[in-house]
Amino acid sequence: MTVTTTEPAPLQPAATEPAPGFWAHYGRAWARTPGSALYLLAVFVLAMISVSVLAALFWTGVGLLILVIGLPLVVLTLLIARGFGVADRFLLLLTGLAEIAEPEWNRDKLDTSGFWMTLTRPIRNAHYWLYLVHGMIVSPIISTISFVLTTVWLSVGLGGLTYWFWGVFLPRGDGGDWGHFVADAVPGLFGGWSGWAVEVTLYLVAGIVFTFTMPWVLGGLARGHHAVAKGMLGRWNSDELAAEVRAEAAARGAAVHAEDLALRRLERDIHDGPQQRLVRLQMDLAALERRAESGDTDAAAELARDARGHAKAALDELRALSSGVAPPLLQDRGLAAALDALATGSPLWVQLEVDPAVDRGVSQEVARTVYFIVAELITNAVKHSGATGVTLRASLRRTAAGTPTHLDVWVVDNGRGGAAITSGHGLEGLRERVAGLRGVLVVTSPVGGPTSVGAHIPLTALP
């Protein structure tokens, strides 16, 4: 066995970088401009389609509410509004702005059942109504405004810069040469200039101004759309609470199921092991009593030796069962020492790599679960994998400030592989134990090996 304990490297202060200058900001803004322009043009088309479809369906459904068909039409409208809102959020990714988180659509799923409750769930969810208002009223209004400004800036900016080329193909004369009138009106600025030169110059100046300001204008319009979408189509704080409650309920259910399986297994192990030996011990003691009364000392001594062997075997099995649940070493010296003892007692060669800070960052509840999981995985490797060695790693994931957030435990053996999580088997029980701590169990075991099982357990979310 090889034991490796390394102290976490101290955090180094981040090197201060010079603040980017104006042209760096401007360059980044220009890099997002094509995507913003494409979004502002595409969202206008989406808004016109959405207002047409949603208004027709919604008001038809409202008009038919007196009939049974009106309610399903309203529900259908809300579902379609959700689809338009999701499409808007997807198109916003073109702008390079932050992705808007998905709302909680089924926050009351655990509390309702039945056909009508399921059918009317969108009606009872405020997110659907906000998506409807956004797709039927808000988005068409702001998309029309942004579409007009976008087309103006694109046409004037790009058209002004290239007027010298395409302007020669326009018909001239009969009042079309407006540059001549500008030159006559401002002789001090364009005196002696031809009408064509005045037109090219003014178009060029307008093109430069509109092109130079295009990243700010289009970027501002895109950020306006993003702000509205984040408020109406994004996630609320109450959604986080609903997701937390649902995750907590799922974690508690998994923990209860895992504990039930563990108790059943412990009961079976006690019945098949120590209980049978104690029954045999009771029978030997009864026979010993009869031999002692009859004076057969040799037979009595033989029975006494057998009884002592059975008592020792039963005691060893009880110790093994109790150490699998919560060994005294884990309570007295912590998880690192308990994993070290587990590796030392394994019949396989174990390379142990444990972060010494796990004892400070992990609670007793997490430590007991982790010890049980590691003990089961090493036992599985001994019995089923045909492995000759195991690598056991336990480390803490930390934030930039050094606060531990997750415990990562990996057990990797060099066996034949082929392990998988299947219902009713050991890895399924381990997965549920990890899920009871809001964690994730990852199993990678290709045929031929190696088998890697990782338990990733959050620490900050635990009470």
Side-chain angles (χ1 to χ4, degrees), residues 50 55 187 292 337 340 345 356 434:
S50 69
D340 189 3
V434 175

Side-chain angles (χ1 to χ4, degrees), residues 7-18:
E7 292 288 347
L11 295 174
Q12 299 295 333
T16 57
E17 298 181 357

Side-chain angles (χ1 to χ4, degrees), residues 103-456:
E104 283 291 320
W105 298 107
N106 297 320
R107 57 170 61 200
D108 59 346
K109 187 175 181 180
L110 298 176
D111 304 328
T112 59
S113 60
F115 173 76
W116 287 107
M117 298 299 286
T118 303
L119 175 66
T120 59
R121 185 178 293 135
I123 297 178
R124 291 178 281 107
N125 191 324
H127 283 297
Y128 282 96
W129 291 102
L130 272 182
Y131 270 59
L132 177 64
V133 172
H134 180 271
M136 197 166 63
I137 300 174
V138 177
S139 182
I141 294 175
I142 62 175
S143 297
T144 301
I145 297 173
S146 63
F147 178 79
V148 171
L149 293 176
T150 300
T151 53
V152 168
W153 248 259
L154 289 175
S155 59
V156 175
L158 300 180
L161 292 177
T162 58
Y163 181 75
W164 57 271
F165 171 73
W166 57 268
V168 298
F169 299 102
L170 298 178
R172 317 194 65 80
D174 297 330
D177 189 7
W178 59 269
H180 173 73
F181 297 102
V182 174
D184 293 340
V186 192
L189 186 61
F190 299 108
W193 288 38
S194 66
W196 169 249
V198 172
E199 290 182 21
V200 171
T201 302
L202 292 179
Y203 269 118
L204 184 61
V205 171
I208 292 174
V209 171
F210 276 71
T211 302
F212 187 79
T213 58
M214 191 179 298
W216 299 322
V217 174
L218 300 190
L221 294 173
R223 282 191 293 272
H225 276 269
H226 185 272
V228 172
K230 185 176 182 180
M232 301 188 69
L233 309 180
R235 196 175 183 87
W236 300 343
N237 293 333
S238 59
D239 291 334
E240 300 296 340
L241 294 177
E244 185 74 14
V245 169
R246 189 162 55 251
E248 185 67 24
R252 290 183 184 276
V256 169
H257 188 254
E259 288 300 325
D260 180 68
L261 292 178
L263 289 175
R264 291 177 182 272
R265 178 181 177 183
L266 180 61
E267 179 184 7
R268 184 182 66 250
D269 291 341
I270 292 176
H271 178 273
D272 296 340
Q275 181 175 331
Q276 299 298 323
R277 293 190 179 277
L278 291 174
V279 170
R280 176 64 184 276
L281 176 61
Q282 183 182 19
M283 296 173 60
D284 289 345
L285 290 175
L288 175 62
E289 183 181 3
R290 291 193 297 271
R291 292 291 189 276
E293 292 176 351
S294 64
D296 190 354
T297 58
D298 293 338
E302 182 66 24
L303 286 174
R305 286 191 293 270
D306 291 343
R308 185 176 61 181
H310 289 302
K312 182 179 181 301
L315 181 61
D316 291 340
E317 290 182 356
L318 286 173
R319 286 174 176 171
L321 290 175
S322 64
S323 65
V325 176
L329 186 62
L330 178 63
Q331 307 292 331
D332 299 337
R333 297 180 55 190
L335 180 60
L339 293 179
D340 189 3
L342 190 62
T344 303
S346 172
L348 296 177
W349 177 84
V350 178
Q351 179 178 349
L352 184 65
E353 302 173 7
V354 178
D355 186 343
V358 295
D359 292 331
R360 298 191 301 270
V362 176
S363 65
Q364 283 293 328
E365 293 78 7
V366 175
R368 282 196 297 269
T369 301
V370 169
Y371 179 86
F372 179 84
I373 291 172
V374 172
E376 284 292 303
L377 291 176
I378 292 180
T379 301
N380 290 342
V382 173
K383 292 182 177 179
H384 309 297
S385 71
T388 59
V390 174
T391 299
L392 170 58
R393 301 188 185 95
S395 60
L396 294 175
R397 261 188 279 168
R398 298 176 173 85
T399 62
T403 304
T405 60
H406 288 75
L407 173 63
D408 296 324
V409 180
W410 285 96
V411 177
V412 183
D413 67 62
N414 59 357
R416 64 177 66 94
I421 299 178
T422 56
S423 178
H425 290 75
L427 288 178
E428 172 66 16
L430 297 183
R431 186 193 66 79
E432 291 184 343
R433 279 185 171 269
V434 175
L437 297 175
R438 307 284 298 276
V440 178
L441 187 74
V442 180
V443 178
T444 304
S445 182
V447 177
T451 297
S452 301
V453 182
H456 310 286

